[in-house]
Amino acid sequence: MTQPEILMPALMPGSIVDALEARFTLHRLWEQPDPDAFLAGAAPHIRGVAANTLAGRIDTNWFDRLPALEIVASFGVGYDNVDARAAAARGIVVTNTPGVLDDEVADLTIGLLLATLRGIPQADRFVREGRWPEGPFPLSPTLRGRTVGIIGLGAIGKAVARRLEGFDVPVAYHGRSRQPDIPYTYHPTPVALAAAVDVLIAIVPGGDATRHLIDRDVLAALGPQGVLINVARGSVVDQPALIAALKEGTILAAGLDVFADEPHVPSELRVMPRVVLLPHIGSASERTRAAMGALVVDNLVAWFDTGRPISPVPECDRLP
Ligand code: NAP
Ligand code: 8YV
């Protein structure tokens, strides 16, 4: 029996490549000297795509070229890199990797919050640069006495909130709707949430619906002692407005794991003293990336064995 043919447009972790090669005919597009010529020949047979953000956006340009495509297995819980509506309209299933990374991303979020408030990377640089003998490290802001607002109280947002309960700080949240049986205070708009808290954590999906959800008005409402932590997507924050707010003292500090144009980070952010910058590492431990990779593979195997993917995105969960 011939194995289903899977296209991998860009390099993915070795464990995924190995597992897919054991089970499918895998085409590693990034290794092809002439990818367009290769695709012209292989496209009619390709039934699945395995992709991460290095592949760019998977949208109608790809769907038009791959007439036999049945499934796109995306590496990551956020799938703003895939046009899931267009896929669903053509009967193509999109899967993501929910659940297996919630705790890892929540841990990193708390780490980034404390690093930003207490200046942990700055203090580390202070010691390494031999500046301690010249005098003590400056006193820092604190988490004590603050209220934390979460924009996006989903699976990861709730894992962050649970951790914050252990830090004895009040939690509030914003989403499109109030959630029943949630003990935290709900605010119907991002501005209302920002005005009620002095730490704002963004952990919503990216895409058009959340573009610049955190804009100049939200930052102004957060106020001069306010701290923004963005672990969602760079598109969720108006980055020029954030840079202006940090420069002008509209807010106090920011901890950022995601950026508008990754991997490029504006030099203005890189030189700011009260900013902690991470290279999109929310889920990036060996253990969690392996679990995400296994779910990418399991989705493809389940689809071709049973016709039922394990974790289809909501836009595609009614497809047969
Ligand atoms: P989830 O369980 O689907 O939760 C998403 C939350 O966002 C929900 O509570 C939803 O509440 C809210 N939301 C959705 N659209 C909104 C809108 N237009 N305005 C306000 N709130 C909105 O997703 P998750 O698993 O927690 O992941 C969330 C996101 O985190 C991912 O999509 C990804 O972008 C990001 N992420 C980043 C990293 C990293 O490495 N930094 C890692 C993993 C995930 P309502 O439905 O009530 O609005
Ligand atoms: C990954 C993420 O770094 O799951 C997500 O939404 O942002 C991260 O876990 C990313 O998807 C890797 O491509």
Side-chain angles (χ1 to χ4, degrees):
M1 203 176 75
T2 56
Q3 293 177 318
E5 296 189 27
I6 306 291
L7 180 71
M8 188 177 283
L11 177 66
M12 294 180 82
S15 62
I16 304 183
V17 175
D18 292 348
L20 291 181
E21 276 186 332
R23 180 64 173 68
F24 302 103
T25 299
L26 182 69
H27 299 297
R28 307 162 175 226
L29 189 61
W30 76 94
E31 287 181 352
Q32 295 299 326
D34 185 345
D36 283 332
F38 173 80
L39 262 189
H45 313 290
I46 288 168
R47 298 172 62 192
V49 164
N52 56 10
T53 49
L54 292 177
R57 190 162 165 77
I58 306 291
D59 58 14
T60 49
N61 289 326
W62 283 98
F63 305 151
D64 287 344
R65 294 179 84 176
L66 302 174
L69 186 62
E70 298 168 33
I71 179 167
V72 176
S74 185
F75 181 77
V77 67
Y79 55 95
D80 46 315
N81 56 317
V82 183
D83 188 342
R85 273 199 202 148
R90 294 174 186 224
I92 299 165
V93 174
V94 177
T95 64
N96 64 345
T97 62
V100 296
L101 43 60
D102 301 347
D103 288 329
E104 198 74 79
V105 180
D107 289 350
L108 192 279
T109 304
I110 297 295
L112 180 55
L113 170 60
L114 294 176
T116 305
L117 279 165
R118 300 299 310 278
I120 294 173
Q122 295 87 334
D124 175 86
R125 287 198 290 272
F126 181 82
V127 175
R128 285 172 198 269
E129 290 165 8
R131 291 160 52 206
W132 193 3
E134 295 161 17
F137 186 70
L139 300 182
S140 73
T142 178
L143 180 61
R144 297 301 96 215
R146 287 180 181 266
T147 298
V148 179
I150 300 177
I151 295 202
L153 196 71
I156 302 172
K158 288 187 178 82
V160 171
R162 282 197 301 276
R163 283 157 176 73
L164 288 169
E165 286 180 14
F167 285 87
D168 290 328
V169 288
V171 173
Y173 74 103
H174 163 72
R176 288 164 299 184
S177 49
R178 183 192 303 269
Q179 300 186 39
D181 306 324
I182 289 289
Y184 317 123
T185 308
Y186 175 73
H187 294 275
T189 64
V191 167
L193 176 64
V197 302
D198 35 28
V199 172
L200 195 58
I201 297 176
I203 185 69
V204 283
D208 292 344
T210 57
R211 186 174 162 72
H212 293 185
L213 200 62
I214 298 176
D215 59 9
R216 199 174 61 161
D217 293 345
V218 174
L219 296 168
L222 189 55
Q225 289 306 311
V227 175
L228 174 71
I229 304 296
N230 186 11
V231 284
R233 285 288 182 266
S235 59
V236 171
V237 174
D238 179 344
Q239 194 166 274
L242 172 62
I243 292 169
L246 287 162
K247 266 189 194 160
E248 292 158 15
T250 307
I251 67 167
L252 181 67
L256 308 171
D257 185 43
V258 288
F259 301 88
D261 180 26
E262 295 174 11
H264 307 291
V265 177
S267 56
E268 288 153 300
L269 281 176
R270 285 190 271 129
V271 297
M272 280 180 186
R274 284 206 193 273
V275 171
V276 176
L277 306 170
L278 302 180
H280 199 148
I281 56 166
S283 67
S285 71
E286 290 172 6
R287 172 191 167 116
T288 293
R289 285 290 170 85
M292 292 163 63
L295 189 47
V296 167
V297 174
D298 290 350
N299 266 301
L300 287 165
V301 170
W303 174 257
F304 288 107
D305 280 358
T306 70
R308 284 187 303 279
I310 295 167
S311 49
V313 303
E315 290 86 339
C316 302
D317 66 1
R318 295 222 180 112
L319 294 176

